[in-house]
Amino acid sequence: MAEADPMIETHAPETKPGNPKRRRALLGIGGAVLLAGVGYGGWYALVGSHHVSTDNAYVGADTAQVTPMVAGQVAQVLVSDAQTVKRGDVLVRIDDSDARIALADAEAALAKAKRQFGQTSATGSSLASTLAAKDQAIAGAQAQLSSAQAALQKAAIDLDRRRKLAPSGAVSADELTSAINSYAAAKGSADNARAALQQAISAKDAAKGDLAANQALIDGTTVVTNPDVLAAQAKVDQARLDLSRTVIRAPVDGVVTNRNVQVGQRLAQGAAIMKVVPIRQLYVDANFKEGQLAHVAPGQKVEITSDLYGAGVVYHGTVVGFSGGTGSAFALIPAQNATGNWIKIVQRLPVRIRLDPRELDAHPLRVGLSMDADIHI
């Protein structure tokens, strides 16, 4: 066994004492991280998991488009951009000269229709009297026919008697000729009386037809319910409505915007001349990521702040519902994910939030402003 070289010294490894300050610092950092993690976990379990929020939210409104219902030249423009108006306030006046003339013409036609109805009613009475007179004419014609038939019968008897006496010479030829002439005259009178009776009957039938036609125009109606009068009244109502539409009024309470009408301008029916934004009926469309909406439902409460007023002003709203599709689904050129290289992009779905009108009165907003929305789920 070899002996150890006395020149070589054997040393045990030295252990450096640890730095207590560094150790305490690391322990402190670790404890802080652990405490922060526990705190965040507790906050998320108690608060964070009950909220979803987004800063991709904007103010919107169902604006009222103001358009003229009748064409014409602008006589007055009584409002300007950014002016607050109430429902029914006059915005624009159109020259109403043509409308007034049209109304006067329609009223004249209505008066004429009423007069014609009165005339038709009076004509009915006149035709009834004429019909009664025709009955009397028929009675007179019948009497004349009876008289003519009696005269004819007498003339026939006289002629027959004389013809029987002529062979014996008791009646002269002149007397027989006179009897023949008398019979012919009586027969002609009877024929004329018979024709006169037929003529009187035909005249009565014509008068009866005229009366029936006249009665058909007025039976079951009055001057108010007569069809011709009703048609004329409808034209008057239309003309009066067109006249009222020459005054364009605000359809809702709100603020005037996009005014593009000037005095003297010729307006076409239906042309857009301005908008009225109902600032007390604003809403917020908040675009949430699809992964945030699992527990969002209509009726949930929302706290909203605006970039305009900052965090010091909090609006309280209510979830109304969800849009029918994401923004990309209704884009002018929708995404074609079935072609080419596809990269999944998280979609956002608009959520409609109703605002409190009283809070809007206290702190008015405008369409398009940016908002932060926090839904309590």
Side-chain angles (χ1 to χ4, degrees), residues 128-187:
S129 300
T130 301
L131 184 61
K134 297 301 180 183
D135 289 335
Q136 295 177 358
I138 290 174
Q142 288 175 337
Q144 290 180 356
L145 177 60
S146 298
S147 176
Q149 287 176 337
L152 176 61
Q153 184 177 8
K154 181 179 181 301
I157 295 173
D158 290 344
L159 177 60
D160 184 64
R161 184 184 299 117
R162 283 171 173 74
R163 281 178 175 172
K164 289 180 180 180
L165 295 174
S168 63
V171 177
S172 63
D174 291 339
E175 190 175 357
L176 179 60
T177 301
S178 177
I180 293 173
N181 292 336
S182 295
Y183 175 78
K187 187 176 184 304

Tab-separated table of all heavy atoms in Angstrom, residues 128-187:
chain	number	residue	atom	x	y	z
A	128	ALA	N	-142.237	62.000	-60.955
A	128	ALA	CA	-143.412	61.367	-60.340
A	128	ALA	C	-144.684	62.098	-60.752
A	128	ALA	O	-145.717	61.464	-61.048
A	128	ALA	CB	-143.246	61.353	-58.821
A	129	SER	N	-144.631	63.429	-60.801
A	129	SER	CA	-145.799	64.206	-61.252
A	129	SER	C	-146.095	63.936	-62.717
A	129	SER	O	-147.265	63.813	-63.127
A	129	SER	CB	-145.541	65.701	-61.020
A	129	SER	OG	-145.320	65.967	-59.659
A	130	THR	N	-145.043	63.836	-63.543
A	130	THR	CA	-145.227	63.538	-64.968
A	130	THR	C	-145.875	62.178	-65.155
A	130	THR	O	-146.749	61.997	-66.026
A	130	THR	CB	-143.864	63.577	-65.678
A	130	THR	OG1	-143.282	64.877	-65.514
A	130	THR	CG2	-144.028	63.288	-67.157
A	131	LEU	N	-145.464	61.207	-64.322
A	131	LEU	CA	-146.059	59.877	-64.415
A	131	LEU	C	-147.540	59.915	-64.082
A	131	LEU	O	-148.370	59.249	-64.748
A	131	LEU	CB	-145.323	58.919	-63.475
A	131	LEU	CG	-145.758	57.451	-63.517
A	131	LEU	CD1	-145.544	56.873	-64.913
A	131	LEU	CD2	-144.987	56.635	-62.485
A	132	ALA	N	-147.917	60.697	-63.079
A	132	ALA	CA	-149.338	60.831	-62.746
A	132	ALA	C	-150.109	61.479	-63.885
A	132	ALA	O	-151.248	61.097	-64.199
A	132	ALA	CB	-149.478	61.653	-61.467
A	133	ALA	N	-149.499	62.477	-64.551
A	133	ALA	CA	-150.154	63.120	-65.695
A	133	ALA	C	-150.342	62.136	-66.834
A	133	ALA	O	-151.349	62.200	-67.577
A	133	ALA	CB	-149.333	64.323	-66.140
A	134	LYS	N	-149.380	61.220	-67.015
A	134	LYS	CA	-149.520	60.220	-68.073
A	134	LYS	C	-150.709	59.309	-67.813
A	134	LYS	O	-151.382	58.862	-68.754
A	134	LYS	CB	-148.240	59.394	-68.183
A	134	LYS	CG	-146.998	60.197	-68.588
A	134	LYS	CD	-147.174	60.888	-69.928
A	134	LYS	CE	-145.932	61.672	-70.323
A	134	LYS	NZ	-146.121	62.403	-71.599
A	135	ASP	N	-150.982	59.001	-66.555
A	135	ASP	CA	-152.167	58.194	-66.229
A	135	ASP	C	-153.439	58.916	-66.653
A	135	ASP	O	-154.374	58.297	-67.198
A	135	ASP	CB	-152.191	57.895	-64.725
A	135	ASP	CG	-151.122	56.897	-64.310
A	135	ASP	OD1	-150.697	56.097	-65.169
A	135	ASP	OD2	-150.697	56.918	-63.139
A	136	GLN	N	-153.476	60.223	-66.409
A	136	GLN	CA	-154.642	60.997	-66.818
A	136	GLN	C	-154.767	61.041	-68.340
A	136	GLN	O	-155.879	60.962	-68.889
A	136	GLN	CB	-154.545	62.416	-66.258
A	136	GLN	CG	-154.595	62.474	-64.732
A	136	GLN	CD	-154.415	63.874	-64.197
A	136	GLN	OE1	-154.212	64.819	-64.972
A	136	GLN	NE2	-154.513	64.021	-62.878
A	137	ALA	N	-153.635	61.150	-69.031
A	137	ALA	CA	-153.669	61.164	-70.497
A	137	ALA	C	-154.185	59.835	-71.036
A	137	ALA	O	-154.938	59.798	-72.027
A	137	ALA	CB	-152.275	61.460	-71.043
A	138	ILE	N	-153.802	58.747	-70.391
A	138	ILE	CA	-154.297	57.435	-70.820
A	138	ILE	C	-155.797	57.340	-70.600
A	138	ILE	O	-156.554	56.817	-71.456
A	138	ILE	CB	-153.557	56.318	-70.052
A	138	ILE	CG1	-152.099	56.240	-70.514
A	138	ILE	CG2	-154.241	54.966	-70.256
A	138	ILE	CD1	-151.255	55.268	-69.722
A	139	ALA	N	-156.258	57.851	-69.462
A	139	ALA	CA	-157.708	57.825	-69.203
A	139	ALA	C	-158.464	58.626	-70.253
A	139	ALA	O	-159.524	58.207	-70.749
A	139	ALA	CB	-157.976	58.364	-67.801
A	140	GLY	N	-157.941	59.801	-70.640
A	140	GLY	CA	-158.589	60.610	-71.680
A	140	GLY	C	-158.585	59.905	-73.025
A	140	GLY	O	-159.593	59.939	-73.764
A	141	ALA	N	-157.487	59.245	-73.361
A	141	ALA	CA	-157.403	58.525	-74.633
A	141	ALA	C	-158.375	57.357	-74.654
A	141	ALA	O	-158.991	57.048	-75.697
A	141	ALA	CB	-155.979	58.046	-74.859
A	142	GLN	N	-158.523	56.685	-73.495
A	142	GLN	CA	-159.480	55.583	-73.432
A	142	GLN	C	-160.906	56.095	-73.618
A	142	GLN	O	-161.726	55.441	-74.298
A	142	GLN	CB	-159.337	54.852	-72.089
A	142	GLN	CG	-158.071	54.018	-71.968
A	142	GLN	CD	-157.897	53.420	-70.590
A	142	GLN	OE1	-158.464	53.934	-69.620
A	142	GLN	NE2	-157.108	52.341	-70.506
A	143	ALA	N	-161.212	57.260	-73.055
A	143	ALA	CA	-162.545	57.833	-73.228
A	143	ALA	C	-162.806	58.205	-74.689
A	143	ALA	O	-163.894	57.961	-75.238
A	143	ALA	CB	-162.701	59.062	-72.330
A	144	GLN	N	-161.795	58.788	-75.313
A	144	GLN	CA	-161.935	59.133	-76.718
A	144	GLN	C	-162.111	57.888	-77.582
A	144	GLN	O	-162.889	57.868	-78.548
A	144	GLN	CB	-160.735	59.928	-77.183
A	144	GLN	CG	-160.664	61.340	-76.595
A	144	GLN	CD	-159.450	62.100	-77.080
A	144	GLN	OE1	-158.623	61.546	-77.796
A	144	GLN	NE2	-159.355	63.375	-76.689
A	145	LEU	N	-161.396	56.819	-77.241
A	145	LEU	CA	-161.537	55.585	-77.996
A	145	LEU	C	-162.941	54.999	-77.826
A	145	LEU	O	-163.545	54.517	-78.798
A	145	LEU	CB	-160.478	54.576	-77.538
A	145	LEU	CG	-160.538	53.187	-78.197
A	145	LEU	CD1	-160.354	53.320	-79.712
A	145	LEU	CD2	-159.487	52.258	-77.608
A	146	SER	N	-163.456	55.067	-76.604
A	146	SER	CA	-164.814	54.554	-76.368
A	146	SER	C	-165.840	55.344	-77.176
A	146	SER	O	-166.760	54.770	-77.791
A	146	SER	CB	-165.146	54.628	-74.869
A	146	SER	OG	-164.265	53.814	-74.126
A	147	SER	N	-165.661	56.672	-77.184
A	147	SER	CA	-166.586	57.518	-77.958
A	147	SER	C	-166.481	57.224	-79.445
A	147	SER	O	-167.493	57.118	-80.161
A	147	SER	CB	-166.275	58.982	-77.683
A	147	SER	OG	-167.091	59.833	-78.486
A	148	ALA	N	-165.233	57.060	-79.946
A	148	ALA	CA	-165.046	56.789	-81.366
A	148	ALA	C	-165.594	55.419	-81.735
A	148	ALA	O	-166.178	55.228	-82.819
A	148	ALA	CB	-163.563	56.866	-81.705
A	149	GLN	N	-165.457	54.438	-80.847
A	149	GLN	CA	-165.999	53.115	-81.126
A	149	GLN	C	-167.535	53.136	-81.150
A	149	GLN	O	-168.168	52.432	-81.976
A	149	GLN	CB	-165.496	52.123	-80.082
A	149	GLN	CG	-164.023	51.763	-80.247
A	149	GLN	CD	-163.529	50.856	-79.146
A	149	GLN	OE1	-164.112	50.823	-78.056
A	149	GLN	NE2	-162.437	50.143	-79.413
A	150	ALA	N	-168.107	53.961	-80.252
A	150	ALA	CA	-169.583	54.083	-80.264
A	150	ALA	C	-170.066	54.731	-81.551
A	150	ALA	O	-171.059	54.292	-82.174
A	150	ALA	CB	-170.028	54.896	-79.046
A	151	ALA	N	-169.344	55.779	-82.002
A	151	ALA	CA	-169.714	56.439	-83.251
A	151	ALA	C	-169.536	55.491	-84.433
A	151	ALA	O	-170.349	55.478	-85.368
A	151	ALA	CB	-168.870	57.697	-83.426
A	152	LEU	N	-168.505	54.671	-84.369
A	152	LEU	CA	-168.290	53.713	-85.443
A	152	LEU	C	-169.400	52.673	-85.487
A	152	LEU	O	-169.887	52.286	-86.562
A	152	LEU	CB	-166.926	53.033	-85.251
A	152	LEU	CG	-166.573	51.924	-86.256
A	152	LEU	CD1	-166.533	52.491	-87.685
A	152	LEU	CD2	-165.243	51.280	-85.883
A	153	GLN	N	-169.813	52.217	-84.313
A	153	GLN	CA	-170.874	51.231	-84.245
A	153	GLN	C	-172.182	51.798	-84.802
A	153	GLN	O	-172.899	51.140	-85.557
A	153	GLN	CB	-171.059	50.768	-82.797
A	153	GLN	CG	-172.080	49.654	-82.648
A	153	GLN	CD	-172.190	49.178	-81.201
A	153	GLN	OE1	-171.610	49.780	-80.309
A	153	GLN	NE2	-172.962	48.131	-80.979
A	154	LYS	N	-172.479	53.064	-84.467
A	154	LYS	CA	-173.710	53.717	-84.974
A	154	LYS	C	-173.635	53.879	-86.483
A	154	LYS	O	-174.601	53.626	-87.223
A	154	LYS	CB	-173.883	55.078	-84.301
A	154	LYS	CG	-175.147	55.823	-84.759
A	154	LYS	CD	-175.259	57.150	-84.012
A	154	LYS	CE	-176.537	57.872	-84.476
A	154	LYS	NZ	-176.555	58.140	-85.921
A	155	ALA	N	-172.436	54.306	-86.962
A	155	ALA	CA	-172.291	54.480	-88.414
A	155	ALA	C	-172.429	53.154	-89.137
A	155	ALA	O	-172.989	53.081	-90.252
A	155	ALA	CB	-170.939	55.125	-88.718
A	156	ALA	N	-171.946	52.075	-88.523
A	156	ALA	CA	-172.058	50.755	-89.147
A	156	ALA	C	-173.512	50.321	-89.235
A	156	ALA	O	-173.967	49.740	-90.246
A	156	ALA	CB	-171.231	49.739	-88.351
A	157	ILE	N	-174.289	50.616	-88.164
A	157	ILE	CA	-175.721	50.255	-88.164
A	157	ILE	C	-176.475	51.042	-89.226
A	157	ILE	O	-177.305	50.489	-89.988
A	157	ILE	CB	-176.321	50.474	-86.771
A	157	ILE	CG1	-175.687	49.509	-85.756
A	157	ILE	CG2	-177.835	50.326	-86.802
A	157	ILE	CD1	-176.085	49.766	-84.311
A	158	ASP	N	-176.194	52.360	-89.299
A	158	ASP	CA	-176.870	53.205	-90.303
A	158	ASP	C	-176.538	52.740	-91.706
A	158	ASP	O	-177.404	52.679	-92.603
A	158	ASP	CB	-176.465	54.657	-90.126
A	158	ASP	CG	-177.044	55.279	-88.852
A	158	ASP	OD1	-177.984	54.683	-88.290
A	158	ASP	OD2	-176.498	56.322	-88.402
A	159	LEU	N	-175.299	52.389	-91.962
A	159	LEU	CA	-174.902	51.950	-93.295
A	159	LEU	C	-175.573	50.626	-93.639
A	159	LEU	O	-176.051	50.434	-94.775
A	159	LEU	CB	-173.374	51.804	-93.350
A	159	LEU	CG	-172.796	51.282	-94.669
A	159	LEU	CD1	-173.161	52.225	-95.833
A	159	LEU	CD2	-171.273	51.145	-94.565
A	160	ASP	N	-175.638	49.729	-92.650
A	160	ASP	CA	-176.252	48.440	-92.909
A	160	ASP	C	-177.744	48.595	-93.221
A	160	ASP	O	-178.285	47.923	-94.129
A	160	ASP	CB	-176.053	47.515	-91.709
A	160	ASP	CG	-176.596	46.115	-91.952
A	160	ASP	OD1	-176.067	45.442	-92.844
A	160	ASP	OD2	-177.515	45.722	-91.220
A	161	ARG	N	-178.420	49.501	-92.505
A	161	ARG	CA	-179.843	49.714	-92.740
A	161	ARG	C	-180.093	50.269	-94.139
A	161	ARG	O	-181.000	49.833	-94.853
A	161	ARG	CB	-180.398	50.670	-91.669
A	161	ARG	CG	-181.930	50.862	-91.782
A	161	ARG	CD	-182.423	51.890	-90.776
A	161	ARG	NE	-182.153	51.477	-89.401
A	161	ARG	CZ	-181.368	52.147	-88.581
A	161	ARG	NH1	-180.749	53.237	-89.022
A	161	ARG	NH2	-181.178	51.725	-87.368
A	162	ARG	N	-179.308	51.239	-94.527
A	162	ARG	CA	-179.513	51.865	-95.829
A	162	ARG	C	-179.195	50.890	-96.970
A	162	ARG	O	-179.789	50.935	-98.043
A	162	ARG	CB	-178.664	53.127	-95.948
A	162	ARG	CG	-179.312	54.276	-95.152
A	162	ARG	CD	-178.382	55.487	-95.071
A	162	ARG	NE	-179.043	56.631	-94.470
A	162	ARG	CZ	-179.320	56.762	-93.181
A	162	ARG	NH1	-178.966	55.794	-92.336
A	162	ARG	NH2	-179.937	57.834	-92.724
A	163	ARG	N	-178.179	50.032	-96.743
A	163	ARG	CA	-177.864	49.045	-97.782
A	163	ARG	C	-179.037	48.056	-97.995
A	163	ARG	O	-179.297	47.602	-99.124
A	163	ARG	CB	-176.602	48.278	-97.414
A	163	ARG	CG	-175.345	49.064	-97.708
A	163	ARG	CD	-174.132	48.277	-97.283
A	163	ARG	NE	-172.895	48.981	-97.670
A	163	ARG	CZ	-171.682	48.613	-97.303
A	163	ARG	NH1	-171.530	47.529	-96.514
A	163	ARG	NH2	-170.634	49.298	-97.700
A	164	LYS	N	-179.754	47.766	-96.957
A	164	LYS	CA	-180.890	46.849	-97.067
A	164	LYS	C	-182.070	47.519	-97.771
A	164	LYS	O	-182.869	46.845	-98.455
A	164	LYS	CB	-181.308	46.374	-95.675
A	164	LYS	CG	-180.312	45.422	-95.036
A	164	LYS	CD	-180.799	44.998	-93.670
A	164	LYS	CE	-179.799	44.030	-93.014
A	164	LYS	NZ	-180.264	43.602	-91.674
A	165	LEU	N	-182.213	48.891	-97.596
A	165	LEU	CA	-183.356	49.598	-98.183
A	165	LEU	C	-183.054	50.070	-99.596
A	165	LEU	O	-183.976	50.479	-100.341
A	165	LEU	CB	-183.740	50.802	-97.316
A	165	LEU	CG	-184.270	50.484	-95.910
A	165	LEU	CD1	-184.469	51.770	-95.127
A	165	LEU	CD2	-185.568	49.700	-96.009
A	166	ALA	N	-181.775	50.071	-99.992
A	166	ALA	CA	-181.423	50.622	-101.309
A	166	ALA	C	-182.083	49.864	-102.467
A	166	ALA	O	-182.556	50.477	-103.438
A	166	ALA	CB	-179.908	50.638	-101.464
A	167	PRO	N	-182.184	48.510	-102.459
A	167	PRO	CA	-182.773	47.812	-103.608
A	167	PRO	C	-184.260	48.160	-103.858
A	167	PRO	O	-184.748	48.121	-104.986
A	167	PRO	CB	-182.616	46.339	-103.226
A	167	PRO	CG	-181.452	46.309	-102.295
A	167	PRO	CD	-181.568	47.562	-101.510
A	168	SER	N	-184.959	48.541	-102.750
A	168	SER	CA	-186.385	48.867	-102.895
A	168	SER	C	-186.590	50.309	-103.343
A	168	SER	O	-187.704	50.730	-103.587
A	168	SER	CB	-187.118	48.608	-101.578
A	168	SER	OG	-186.609	49.455	-100.562
A	169	GLY	N	-185.548	51.107	-103.394
A	169	GLY	CA	-185.656	52.509	-103.804
A	169	GLY	C	-186.035	53.440	-102.693
A	169	GLY	O	-186.242	54.632	-102.907
A	170	ALA	N	-186.161	52.895	-101.450
A	170	ALA	CA	-186.531	53.750	-100.312
A	170	ALA	C	-185.398	54.689	-99.928
A	170	ALA	O	-185.591	55.706	-99.272
A	170	ALA	CB	-186.918	52.881	-99.118
A	171	VAL	N	-184.154	54.320	-100.296
A	171	VAL	CA	-182.978	55.164	-99.973
A	171	VAL	C	-182.315	55.539	-101.274
A	171	VAL	O	-182.055	54.670	-102.124
A	171	VAL	CB	-181.988	54.395	-99.067
A	171	VAL	CG1	-180.765	55.243	-98.818
A	171	VAL	CG2	-182.661	54.016	-97.762
A	172	SER	N	-182.027	56.837	-101.385
A	172	SER	CA	-181.414	57.314	-102.614
A	172	SER	C	-179.934	56.941	-102.621
A	172	SER	O	-179.326	56.613	-101.580
A	172	SER	CB	-181.564	58.822	-102.737
A	172	SER	OG	-180.883	59.471	-101.686
A	173	ALA	N	-179.358	57.019	-103.789
A	173	ALA	CA	-177.926	56.711	-103.920
A	173	ALA	C	-177.084	57.704	-103.154
A	173	ALA	O	-176.048	57.349	-102.550
A	173	ALA	CB	-177.549	56.705	-105.399
A	174	ASP	N	-177.511	58.983	-103.131
A	174	ASP	CA	-176.727	59.991	-102.378
A	174	ASP	C	-176.746	59.701	-100.887
A	174	ASP	O	-175.726	59.851	-100.185
A	174	ASP	CB	-177.299	61.380	-102.639
A	174	ASP	CG	-177.056	61.862	-104.071
A	174	ASP	OD1	-176.115	61.293	-104.702
A	174	ASP	OD2	-177.747	62.765	-104.531
A	175	GLU	N	-177.916	59.271	-100.407
A	175	GLU	CA	-178.029	58.986	-98.979
A	175	GLU	C	-177.157	57.786	-98.614
A	175	GLU	O	-176.532	57.741	-97.560
A	175	GLU	CB	-179.494	58.721	-98.637
A	175	GLU	CG	-179.735	58.645	-97.135
A	175	GLU	CD	-181.220	58.510	-96.822
A	175	GLU	OE1	-182.044	58.527	-97.744
A	175	GLU	OE2	-181.530	58.365	-95.607
A	176	LEU	N	-177.122	56.770	-99.497
A	176	LEU	CA	-176.278	55.606	-99.230
A	176	LEU	C	-174.803	56.000	-99.245
A	176	LEU	O	-174.014	55.538	-98.400
A	176	LEU	CB	-176.553	54.524	-100.290
A	176	LEU	CG	-175.723	53.239	-100.163
A	176	LEU	CD1	-175.969	52.570	-98.818
A	176	LEU	CD2	-176.029	52.286	-101.311
A	177	THR	N	-174.445	56.854	-100.212
A	177	THR	CA	-173.054	57.316	-100.271
A	177	THR	C	-172.676	58.081	-99.013
A	177	THR	O	-171.567	57.924	-98.464
A	177	THR	CB	-172.846	58.184	-101.506
A	177	THR	OG1	-173.175	57.423	-102.684
A	177	THR	CG2	-171.418	58.680	-101.594
A	178	SER	N	-173.597	58.898	-98.505
A	178	SER	CA	-173.340	59.668	-97.285
A	178	SER	C	-173.136	58.737	-96.091
A	178	SER	O	-172.262	58.959	-95.241
A	178	SER	CB	-174.503	60.625	-97.029
A	178	SER	OG	-174.291	61.320	-95.829
A	179	ALA	N	-173.921	57.645	-96.058
A	179	ALA	CA	-173.784	56.698	-94.944
A	179	ALA	C	-172.434	55.977	-95.007
A	179	ALA	O	-171.787	55.707	-93.986
A	179	ALA	CB	-174.925	55.699	-94.971
A	180	ILE	N	-172.033	55.648	-96.255
A	180	ILE	CA	-170.714	54.996	-96.407
A	180	ILE	C	-169.590	55.920	-95.946
A	180	ILE	O	-168.656	55.499	-95.243
A	180	ILE	CB	-170.512	54.574	-97.873
A	180	ILE	CG1	-171.517	53.447	-98.231
A	180	ILE	CG2	-169.083	54.112	-98.102
A	180	ILE	CD1	-171.496	53.086	-99.698
A	181	ASN	N	-169.698	57.206	-96.314
A	181	ASN	CA	-168.668	58.183	-95.909
A	181	ASN	C	-168.644	58.367	-94.394
A	181	ASN	O	-167.578	58.493	-93.763
A	181	ASN	CB	-168.895	59.498	-96.614
A	181	ASN	CG	-168.641	59.401	-98.120
A	181	ASN	OD1	-167.900	58.533	-98.574
A	181	ASN	ND2	-169.261	60.291	-98.903
A	182	SER	N	-169.826	58.377	-93.792
A	182	SER	CA	-169.901	58.540	-92.331
A	182	SER	C	-169.251	57.350	-91.621
A	182	SER	O	-168.555	57.484	-90.607
A	182	SER	CB	-171.358	58.694	-91.902
A	182	SER	OG	-171.904	59.873	-92.423
A	183	TYR	N	-169.477	56.155	-92.150
A	183	TYR	CA	-168.873	54.965	-91.554
A	183	TYR	C	-167.342	55.009	-91.674
A	183	TYR	O	-166.626	54.690	-90.720
A	183	TYR	CB	-169.420	53.704	-92.255
A	183	TYR	CG	-168.753	52.439	-91.787
A	183	TYR	CD1	-169.095	51.847	-90.572
A	183	TYR	CD2	-167.744	51.845	-92.560
A	183	TYR	CE1	-168.450	50.712	-90.144
A	183	TYR	CE2	-167.104	50.692	-92.129
A	183	TYR	CZ	-167.460	50.138	-90.917
A	183	TYR	OH	-166.811	48.989	-90.467
A	184	ALA	N	-166.868	55.435	-92.845
A	184	ALA	CA	-165.420	55.515	-93.030
A	184	ALA	C	-164.801	56.527	-92.083
A	184	ALA	O	-163.712	56.318	-91.504
A	184	ALA	CB	-165.105	55.865	-94.482
A	185	ALA	N	-165.490	57.674	-91.901
A	185	ALA	CA	-164.972	58.707	-90.991
A	185	ALA	C	-164.963	58.204	-89.553
A	185	ALA	O	-164.013	58.431	-88.791
A	185	ALA	CB	-165.808	59.969	-91.116
A	186	ALA	N	-166.030	57.491	-89.173
A	186	ALA	CA	-166.094	56.965	-87.807
A	186	ALA	C	-165.005	55.933	-87.572
A	186	ALA	O	-164.394	55.849	-86.497
A	186	ALA	CB	-167.478	56.378	-87.549
A	187	LYS	N	-164.777	55.097	-88.609
A	187	LYS	CA	-163.718	54.094	-88.477
A	187	LYS	C	-162.351	54.752	-88.342
A	187	LYS	O	-161.488	54.330	-87.556
A	187	LYS	CB	-163.733	53.173	-89.697
A	187	LYS	CG	-162.775	51.988	-89.586
A	187	LYS	CD	-162.910	51.075	-90.762
A	187	LYS	CE	-162.011	49.839	-90.607
A	187	LYS	NZ	-160.618	50.169	-90.412
